[in-house]
Amino acid sequence: MKRHPLVEKLWPEIETAVKGLGFELVQMTFGGHPGAAALTVYVDRPAGVSADDCAFAAEHLSVLLDALDPVEGS
């Protein structure tokens, strides 16, 4: 399956970040309607992933993505 160019660009950065948080990057997608597109990051680890884990990862990735600013506009 071909990845979106933004996913290809961000994969190394996101993978490094989630590894540092103790997760494995399983999949990442980008898409949706213009102005409402979303980047979705799927993580896992041997013990499984809880909702709190997802919130923890999302908070850290949000800071990284704000710094990288990979998408034009808001």
Side-chain angles (χ1 to χ4, degrees), residues 29-55:
T29 61
F30 180 77
H33 299 290
L39 179 70
T40 306
V41 178
Y42 299 87
V43 297
D44 199 5
R45 64 180 175 182
V49 178
S50 69
D52 287 341
D53 291 332
C54 291

Side-chain angles (χ1 to χ4, degrees), residues 21-33:
L21 298 173
F23 300 103
E24 172 191 0
L25 179 59
V26 175
Q27 183 178 356
M28 189 167 40
T29 61
F30 180 77
H33 299 290

Side-chain angles (χ1 to χ4, degrees), residues 5-38:
L6 182 68
V7 170
E8 286 292 330
K9 177 182 172 183
L10 291 175
W11 190 277
E13 294 277 353
I14 300 294
E15 184 173 43
T16 299
V18 298
K19 278 184 180 180
L21 298 173
F23 300 103
E24 172 191 0
L25 179 59
V26 175
Q27 183 178 356
M28 189 167 40
T29 61
F30 180 77
H33 299 290

